[in-house]
Amino acid sequence: MQSVTRGSIALEHRLEQTYRVGRILGAFNDPPPTKFVKTLEFDEPPSVDEEWRVGLIVGRSGSGKSTVARSRYADAEFASYRWNDRAVVDNFDPRPFDEIADALAAVGFSSLPCAARPYATLSGGERFRCDVAKALLDARKPIVVVDEFASVVDPDVARSASLAVRKAIDRGAFGKTRLVAIACRERIAEWLQPDWVLDMDSGLLTRGRLRRPKLQIRVYEGKRRHWDAFKDCHYLSGTLMPAVRVRVATISTEKSDSETLAAFAAIMQVEGRKGLKRVHRLVVAPQFQGIGIGSAFLDALGEMERERDARLTIVTGNAFFVRKLARSRKWRFKGAYPNGKTQRRKGRPDVGSFGRAVAAFEYGDAENERPPPSS
């Protein structure tokens, strides 16, 4: 068992005596003090020489979280976000495009069309994910401190983004960079799974990763009307082909019986190819991106079609998703199409993905040749 060392920081501030301050203090028979003294006492968080990847400092506002972080990790990089009016992808340090796209996808910002928009046009949740990706990818020091971590986003985004960030750090998506997150509440702890938590309300340090609640994904027959909740999130057209079968996925945790609509898929028959289906649309709600729902949903769809003696294929131009499918043992690589792939309707070629670089996969044991990592 590792020993814990107590630390303390003495804070003192003297108020400058100005005319306006004098007007306020003069209104009291017993004026408030002009000297403020506060001592923070706490268990010392792990040093930079110890083995850990993610730390979390929590506590109410004014409890000294940021002060302790700056004192104990003085050489760390404290995240500050500078975004100009150019596209999000053009706001990173000079890096290969694939590296930037992978970093954004790693934190759950996997919509490439949104990455081609200015930061100012994004939602609060999308901005938070971009901020974290930028802080970790552009870091010049081994430790990055992110203040107000997930403090201005809704609970679903806070949980899924925390989970995505931890998974990304564990698999080395940001090299050896370590993260210290600062948050007002401990609601994200079981999802971020920090290696240690310092609670500044009590001053106590807890070591060891918490067990993450199990996610439960269920797939149901859906209705075309479900598309209304997802069409604005899809990177292609917001329209559906007439003859599609709709599937939806819900997500819940072992701690809650309530299910939340999380993903949408439209599947259609490939004309002239009996028993061959293709994924026409596949969308994961932005607040649940980055935690593996898309892959699990797609695997479930493939298995459902196989139980019906049908085969399921997907053609996608999302570079991050192509790499995920290429690594999967459940999907066979069928081919890469630098100039797109046309579909056929009623015996005539249709536009399909013409003009876009795409890759095709089919559900089944992946024994075929894999595409190159950059495809």
Side-chain angles (χ1 to χ4, degrees), residues 6-249:
R6 292 290 288 181
S8 65
I9 299 176
L11 304 175
E12 180 177 321
H13 184 79
R14 291 181 180 274
L15 188 64
E16 182 182 356
Q17 297 292 329
T18 65
Y19 167 76
R20 293 170 182 167
V21 170
R23 286 286 303 269
I24 294 174
L25 298 182
F28 298 89
N29 291 329
D30 186 13
T34 58
K35 178 181 177 181
F36 304 91
V37 179
K38 182 179 181 179
T39 301
L40 304 176
E41 295 187 350
F42 51 90
D43 292 341
E44 291 274 12
S47 70
V48 296
D49 298 324
E50 296 183 50
E51 289 293 329
W52 58 272
R53 297 303 305 276
V54 178
L56 176 63
I57 303 177
V58 298
R60 65 183 182 275
S61 181
S63 60
K65 304 183 297 296
S66 301
T67 300
V68 169
R70 291 187 178 278
S71 172
R72 293 305 177 254
Y73 301 107
D75 292 332
E77 184 168 318
F78 285 75
S80 59
Y81 316 110
R82 297 179 178 87
W83 299 91
N84 56 38
D85 291 335
R86 300 175 69 191
V88 166
V89 290
D90 289 328
N91 270 264
F92 287 78
D93 284 349
R95 292 176 181 273
F97 171 80
D98 286 345
E99 192 174 343
I100 297 172
D102 282 350
L104 290 169
V107 298
F109 188 79
S110 53
S111 173
L112 291 181
C114 288
R117 291 165 47 188
Y119 176 85
T121 67
L122 303 179
S123 68
E126 291 170 333
R127 292 185 186 186
F128 168 66
R129 294 179 192 267
C130 290
D131 287 343
V132 175
K134 184 173 177 60
L136 293 173
L137 188 62
D138 288 351
R140 295 178 176 83
K141 296 182 179 180
I143 297 178
V144 172
V145 179
V146 178
D147 208 345
E148 300 295 336
F149 189 91
S151 62
V152 296
V153 296
D154 66 56
D156 284 336
V157 173
R159 289 190 288 263
S160 60
S162 298
L163 172 54
V165 168
R166 179 75 220 208
K167 290 171 64 177
I169 289 176
D170 283 345
R171 69 171 180 268
F174 301 102
K176 296 183 179 180
T177 301
R178 292 188 276 185
L179 168 69
V180 175
I182 301 176
C184 286
R185 295 179 296 279
E186 212 169 347
R187 64 175 183 173
I188 62 169
E190 59 186 2
W191 299 94
L192 185 63
Q193 287 194 298
D195 301 298
W196 53 265
V197 179
L198 175 58
D199 185 346
M200 286 304 297
D201 290 339
S202 63
L204 299 179
L205 176 72
T206 304
R207 295 177 184 264
R209 293 174 64 164
L210 298 173
R211 188 181 73 84
R212 182 183 297 137
K214 291 183 179 179
L215 294 175
Q216 299 172 337
I217 300 173
R218 292 185 174 87
V219 179
Y220 299 97
E221 190 85 32
K223 304 291 186 183
R224 289 183 69 93
R225 59 179 171 80
H226 284 125
W227 179 237
D228 291 339
F230 292 91
K231 62 183 180 181
D232 292 337
C233 307
H234 197 267
Y235 72 102
L236 295 177
S237 159
T239 60
L240 288 181
M241 296 292 288
V244 296
R245 168 173 281 182
V246 173
R247 303 284 188 187
V248 294

Side-chain angles (χ1 to χ4, degrees), residues 268-274 276 278 343-348:
M268 62 184 301
Q269 174 71 42
V270 176
E271 195 154 347
R273 302 286 300 277
K274 184 178 180 180
L276 184 63
R278 69 179 177 92
Q343 309 293 341
R344 301 191 71 84
R345 294 174 57 195
K346 296 182 179 179
R348 294 175 299 174

